Amino acid sequence: MRPGPTKAAAVLVLTAASLVACGKGSGDAVTLWMYPVIEDQAQSRAFWQKVETGFERDYGVDLDIELQPWAGREEKLGAALMAGDGPDVVLLQSDMIPQYVAEKALQPVDDVLVGGASAYSPQALDALRVDGQSYGVPLYRTVTTTVYNRKLFADAGITELPRTWDEVEADAPKLAARGVPIVDYSGSTEEPLNLTFYPLLWQAGGHVFTADGTKSAFAGAEGVSALKFLVGLEAVHGLPDDVATKRSGMADDAVATGRAAMSPAMTEAAARNVIAAIGARNTAIGAPLRNRSRVTFGTPGALSLLRGTKKPAEARELLAYLTSPALVGELCAGSGFFTPWPDPAPPASDNVHQSFAQALPFTSAGDAHPQARKVMGLLAPHLQAALLGEKTPEAALADAAEEVDALLGSS
């Protein structure tokens, strides 16, 4: 999962980067590029400052932690690697790792898995492996699930919240009659498909790529079913009016502001935003939606070791230090994410966190492939065309498959 900061938050992040890096950045320092996994910026700065001080004290190695913004992340990292000016260690999500492995930018890190591979959730660790080797040390796990504006359903006379595609389709006209789209969906081509179309594709039993990774698989019957589900909802006013161009964002979240009745792939931070806006009694957190399967997006955040590091021994010490149980536990408590251990042990006192923990067994990190991010860029405009009524679902996916297969054939 990749939450995007608001413009104001981005400014704060950049400010934080300056504060943390102040006085550091010598050529002898080990560098870490970290991102705002802790939402509260003051808390984030304090945590990473403590990490930096603790590592330098315990290991006698100069550490430079640069707090980077999510926005433009891949472009900035790619440019730094091209220039030979990348960090020693960087936070990556699992679907980014195959690409960097193919570009020979990462080193295996099996030897620094604290406690050995058996200490981690297989779900988290498997997502970070390429050809049997681990290219990231799990730091946390994310999960998304379904969040409802219970009051909007009640106002439409619906007492049982929908948990399957069939139930969503049955309830959509009742809410539309009151001017409320049932599902909040963001169809902008800038939205990551892991949080929009892919969960529906997986729920239909489909995949993005064939098992051998040589061709696309999303244009099969499962993909068509998923896109028909969306287009069918659009036809009965079950999606936001601006669905084809809509961006996601907590500031004007449609469920929080009463402009949509449910979100099928919401993060915990966004769910807390809904609760703050409409109250806990008007908010319900459910399991991921089910069609043929019940599945949602969730990914491990992992620390990866760049092949170009000039201090491999010190960088490996940093990996072990950062992924110690104590620091991982503190980071997850501050971020609301889950630990990468087999038992994520959510705090019993927080019902929101517990509700999201119940969705963990249903998470998928997506199809691992070196071209995964590029495929999103090719597929998204065709999904948008279907939502705009410019193409049938079958034609949209077939056109996208032709472009993707050409990409894979040339890779």
Side-chain angles (χ1 to χ4, degrees):
M1 175 174 49
R2 191 181 59 173
T6 62
K7 185 176 180 180
V11 172
L12 286 172
V13 169
L14 290 171
T15 303
S18 301
L19 288 172
V20 173
C22 181
K24 304 293 183 186
S26 73
D28 293 331
V30 174
T31 55
L32 164 66
W33 281 14
M34 182 48 64
Y35 298 85
V37 297
I38 297 177
E39 190 86 12
D40 183 284
Q41 295 303 303
Q43 185 185 357
S44 177
R45 285 196 299 275
F47 176 81
W48 292 112
Q49 186 67 68
K50 186 177 75 170
V51 168
E52 191 172 284
T53 303
F55 180 75
E56 291 178 341
R57 179 194 61 227
D58 293 351
Y59 288 83
V61 175
D62 192 11
L63 172 62
D64 181 10
I65 300 178
E66 297 184 22
L67 298 182
Q68 303 280 345
W70 291 115
R73 174 189 187 194
E74 293 171 60
E75 294 80 359
K76 183 171 182 179
L77 180 59
L81 293 176
M82 286 285 289
D85 193 29
D88 298 288
V89 176
V90 63
L91 178 75
L92 297 177
Q93 269 65 52
S94 58
D95 68 339
M96 302 171 73
I97 285 179
Q99 172 189 341
Y100 289 116
V101 171
E103 295 171 357
K104 303 186 185 308
L106 303 182
Q107 299 187 37
V109 292
D110 298 87
D111 58 320
V112 289
L113 290 171
V114 178
S118 61
Y120 292 90
S121 159
Q123 203 174 16
L125 207 56
D126 290 349
L128 305 172
R129 285 189 170 127
V130 178
D131 296 331
Q133 291 186 298
S134 297
Y135 286 90
V137 182
L139 190 59
Y140 59 80
R141 297 169 64 189
T142 69
V143 61
T144 59
T145 195
T146 312
V147 176
Y148 305 84
N149 186 321
R150 193 200 305 269
K151 182 176 186 303
L152 294 179
F153 281 96
D155 291 346
I158 301 167
T159 55
E160 293 290 331
L161 296 172
R163 301 176 186 279
T164 68
W165 287 17
D166 288 344
E167 292 169 358
V168 169
E169 290 171 328
D171 289 342
K174 302 172 191 173
L175 285 149
R178 299 179 61 84
V180 178
I182 189 168
V183 170
D184 182 26
Y185 187 88
S186 298
S188 165
T189 56
E190 297 179 60
E191 289 290 312
L193 297 184
N194 282 330
L195 293 170
T196 55
F197 182 69
Y198 285 173
L200 298 175
L201 175 66
W202 303 330
Q203 288 163 14
H207 298 278
V208 180
F209 302 98
T210 55
D212 63 5
T214 60
K215 295 189 69 176
S216 66
F218 54 74
E222 298 86 0
V224 171
S225 173
L227 191 50
K228 281 186 172 178
F229 174 65
L230 282 177
V231 171
L233 289 178
E234 169 67 1
V236 298
H237 305 289
L239 301 178
D241 290 341
D242 60 346
V243 60
T245 57
K246 185 176 179 298
R247 297 290 311 272
S248 61
M250 283 200 289
D252 61 346
D253 180 89
V255 179
T257 56
R259 293 179 290 112
M262 61 184 283
S263 170
M266 185 171 278
T267 64
E268 183 176 324
R272 293 184 187 279
N273 182 56
V274 173
I275 292 170
I278 65 175
R281 62 183 299 181
N282 290 324
T283 307
I285 301 170
L289 281 180
R290 178 170 58 83
N291 181 240
R292 290 179 60 185
S293 301
R294 189 183 301 283
V295 59
T296 189
F297 177 68
T299 183
L303 294 171
S304 293
L305 179 62
L306 274 295
R307 191 169 292 277
T309 176
K310 295 181 176 59
K311 291 184 169 294
E314 292 84 351
R316 287 176 186 275
E317 289 177 336
L318 175 61
L319 282 175
Y321 179 79
L322 289 170
T323 53
S324 66
L327 274 182
V328 167
E330 189 174 348
L331 175 66
C332 289
S335 64
F337 294 156
F338 293 89
T339 66
W341 322 133
D343 177 8
S349 59
D350 191 323
N351 292 332
V352 174
H353 204 59
Q354 279 194 320
S355 296
F356 274 81
Q358 291 174 3
L360 277 171
F362 304 107
T363 57
S364 169
D367 295 29
H369 196 283
Q371 303 289 3
R373 294 281 171 143
K374 289 184 179 177
V375 168
M376 284 189 193
L378 292 177
L379 175 55
H382 296 284
L383 299 175
Q384 186 182 59
L387 289 171
L388 289 168
E390 297 171 351
K391 294 182 180 181
T392 65
E394 292 88 345
L397 293 174
D399 289 348
E402 185 175 345
E403 293 179 14
V404 169
D405 290 343
L407 170 72
L408 300 182
S410 64
S411 62

